[in-house]
Amino acid sequence: MGVFKKTIAFIKALPPYLKNVRRCRNLDFFEYEELSRVDFKVPEPFSSCLSYGHHRVVSNYKGRPFNLMSDYVEHGINANKDPYHTRMLGHLEHPLIKHIYTYGPFRREVIENCLRVDGIKGKTVHTMGPYILWADNQMTDERRRKVKEKYGRILTVYPIHSTRSHQAVFDTDTLISKINEIRGDFDTVFMCMYWRDIQTRRDLIEKYQSLGYVIVTNGHGSDPLFISRQKDMMMLSDMIMANGFGSHIGYAIALGKPVYMIKSEYKYKQSDASVSQPKDVIDIEERCLKLFGEYSHTITKEQLDFVYYYWGEFK
């Protein structure tokens, strides 16, 4: 697609995007139906940088506005060591991008190695630690206080989620069984569902609600308040539980919340075909299971070291 056509596509996509941003700006994480009602997209070519509100996080980190021309922020936690995967993201060779923002030492090493091997100069890689620490809250302090009073000790569960193009399939009964084993230590279970699963898996919503779980969501991936709602939710939680690897693991530890991860067989389906996970992702999930697979309210040094390497250090 030529520059002219790209410009026209951007102009057409911008009004509906801004309309949905305005629609969602006063919605908190309990309003899952309205937050996931519409599949709206960040206008190209800024889909990566503007997703999840990461551009706002970078602005807070560097103390000045995010520059859509010269700044690039990585989409999320990335365990892939393959240089080809990093090159395919497209930002390394982009002539205008001067600053690349990411989590911690692992990604910095991968990116800087690619730049060195490819002979690309004039770009600086910034490790800013867990993005969530730089996010603003969406709720007021008073609103969070009232939510905490109402729901008491909260176990927040992050099940493996789908994407726009791939449906996640996993053993729901095993997840529920593991939740119920520890449920007595908490007053409330928050089930954090991704917008795509809220749209397509009404059966899961009904099943979770029949068990007394409270459905919550961070919102749509294109919503700039996604990470702000996630921060509110995690700050209110007493423990985070997951059945798969993701940014939530490091975010929880960075916010002082213990993590309990269970083993789950899962796959991603695209139409009738299953999509396999890269070996690097499988390997890091195995490491997470060893580190976080025991139910405990204590955060260990080994867990912190792991998070420091992949998500970056924090105080």
Side-chain angles (χ1 to χ4, degrees):
M1 186 184 295
V3 174
F4 177 75
K5 289 185 177 180
K6 287 182 179 179
T7 302
I8 295 299
F10 173 80
I11 292 171
K12 287 183 177 179
L14 189 58
Y17 166 73
L18 294 176
K19 178 182 177 180
N20 279 295
V21 169
R22 289 193 297 271
R23 179 180 64 83
C24 296
R25 64 186 175 189
N26 293 319
L27 302 176
D28 64 35
F29 57 70
F30 291 110
E31 298 172 90
Y32 65 91
E33 294 281 16
E34 187 64 17
L35 283 171
S36 60
R37 178 169 62 84
V38 178
D39 178 4
F40 69 102
K41 298 180 181 180
V42 173
E44 295 289 352
F46 305 115
S47 57
S48 178
C49 292
L50 296 184
S51 294
Y52 305 110
H54 289 166
H55 63 298
R56 295 184 174 184
V57 168
V58 173
S59 294
N60 289 342
Y61 167 75
K62 69 178 190 173
R64 58 184 185 275
F66 186 89
N67 189 316
L68 286 171
M69 294 294 104
S70 62
D71 293 338
Y72 179 89
V73 56
E74 291 217 296
H75 179 76
I77 193 66
N78 188 337
N80 202 318
K81 293 181 290 188
D82 186 354
Y84 173 78
H85 178 270
T86 298
R87 293 185 179 104
M88 287 296 292
L89 296 175
H91 59 286
L92 297 187
E93 294 186 349
H94 197 292
L96 297 180
I97 292 174
K98 303 300 179 186
H99 300 277
I100 300 170
Y101 295 88
T102 189
Y103 287 105
F106 171 77
R107 281 301 292 168
R108 183 183 62 218
E109 292 167 10
V110 173
I111 297 168
E112 289 184 342
N113 181 62
C114 287
L115 293 172
R116 183 172 56 255
V117 170
D118 295 348
I120 299 173
K121 301 182 182 300
K123 301 184 190 295
T124 304
V125 182
H126 305 266
T127 51
M128 51 186 287
Y131 294 173
I132 203 163
L133 296 180
W134 298 99
D136 296 318
N137 290 96
Q138 194 253 352
M139 288 182 175
T140 63
D141 293 344
E142 178 63 14
R143 170 66 171 147
R144 287 198 307 278
R145 184 186 66 78
K146 290 181 178 179
V147 170
K148 192 62 176 174
E149 285 182 356
K150 179 177 179 179
Y151 292 99
R153 288 183 57 78
I154 299 168
L155 171 67
T156 297
V157 183
Y158 281 83
I160 294 166
H161 66 77
S162 302
T163 67
R164 180 177 276 112
S165 58
H166 298 83
Q167 182 75 54
V169 180
F170 63 89
D171 185 354
T172 310
D173 290 336
T174 296
L175 175 62
I176 290 172
S177 175
K178 291 293 185 180
I179 292 170
N180 290 340
E181 284 179 7
I182 63 174
R183 187 176 182 177
D185 293 341
F186 304 91
D187 301 300
T188 308
V189 175
F190 281 178
M191 183 63 71
C192 185
M193 295 185 67
Y194 197 62
W195 66 272
R196 188 60 173 161
D197 293 310
I198 291 171
Q199 286 185 344
T200 60
R201 296 300 308 271
R202 307 305 299 183
D203 58 317
L204 282 183
I205 292 176
E206 292 173 4
K207 190 170 190 176
Y208 295 148
Q209 289 179 328
S210 71
L211 294 165
Y213 304 163
V214 177
I215 306 298
V216 293
T217 186
N218 299 324
H220 197 283
S222 296
D223 191 332
L225 288 174
F226 182 102
I227 195 170
S228 294
R229 294 191 192 92
Q230 186 174 29
K231 187 172 186 176
D232 286 333
M233 194 186 305
M234 286 192 163
M235 287 176 65
L236 288 163
S237 302
D238 294 276
M239 172 169 274
I240 302 301
M241 183 175 178
N243 64 343
F245 174 72
S247 297
H248 49 278
I249 302 292
Y251 286 175
I253 297 299
L255 290 170
K257 309 298 179 177
V259 173
Y260 176 38
M261 184 173 174
I262 68 164
K263 186 174 179 60
S264 180
E265 298 297 329
Y266 69 94
K267 59 184 177 182
Y268 289 100
K269 296 184 67 176
Q270 186 175 27
S271 299
D272 295 326
S274 294
V275 181
S276 60
Q277 287 287 76
K279 183 179 184 301
D280 290 339
V281 175
I282 295 173
D283 290 345
I284 201 168
E285 285 194 340
E286 290 299 322
R287 288 188 63 189
C288 279
L289 283 169
K290 291 179 181 178
L291 288 168
F292 301 100
E294 181 179 340
Y295 175 60
S296 171
H297 290 267
T298 300
I299 297 175
T300 68
K301 181 182 182 302
E302 289 76 17
Q303 291 172 347
L304 285 171
D305 290 342
F306 173 80
V307 171
Y308 289 160
Y309 183 51
Y310 286 97
W311 281 264
E313 293 199 27
F314 53 91
K315 295 180 180 180

